[in-house]
């Protein structure tokens, strides 16, 4: 005689059309790492005497690169959401 147990807790069913919260995605983690790396690089580069007092990577350039990264993240999130749209054919 075999005993058969039934699990009363159903696994949560995830809709295939769900999109992760943007802060829980790998692209957001890479974005944050790139912004931090840009800030650190702008702070460190150009501080020694080998550039003859010229800041070769200044705050203005760093902000420009951070803006590019931000626009890239927004485009990537927009594409993720646009590609996940449900097309309802039933009226």
């Amino acid at each position: 005689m075999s005993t058969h147990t039934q699990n009363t807790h159903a696994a949560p069913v995830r809709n295939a059309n769900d999109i992760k919260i943007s802060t829980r995605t790998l692209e957001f983690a890479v974005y944050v790492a790139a912004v931090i790396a840009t800030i650190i690089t702008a702070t460190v580069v150009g501080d020694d005497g080998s550039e003859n007092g010229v800041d070769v990577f200044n705050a203005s350039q760093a902000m420009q690169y951070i803006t590019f990264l931000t626009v890239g993240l927004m485009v990537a999130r927009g594409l993720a959401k646009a590609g996940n749209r449900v097309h309802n054919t039933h009226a």
Side-chain angles (χ1 to χ4, degrees):
M1 179 188 238
S2 66
T3 305
H4 185 52
T5 59
Q6 185 175 6
N7 189 358
T8 58
H9 298 289
V13 178
R14 185 173 173 148
N15 187 354
N17 295 320
D18 286 347
I19 298 176
K20 285 184 179 179
I21 298 172
S22 63
T23 56
R24 293 183 182 237
T25 61
L26 178 63
E27 63 194 11
F28 184 75
V30 171
Y31 166 76
V32 170
V35 168
I36 291 171
T38 303
I39 292 169
I40 291 171
T41 304
T43 303
V44 172
V45 172
D47 286 344
D48 57 1
S50 63
E51 286 91 15
N52 295 326
V54 177
D55 192 3
V56 293
F57 188 56
N58 57 26
S60 175
Q61 290 172 318
M63 287 305 298
Q64 182 179 10
Y65 289 130
I66 291 171
T67 301
F68 293 155
L69 289 167
T70 303
V71 170
L73 177 70
M74 292 184 338
V75 168
R77 289 302 300 162
L79 289 173
K81 288 184 179 185
N84 205 16
R85 187 172 296 152
V86 177
H87 299 289
N88 191 357
T89 57
H90 298 91

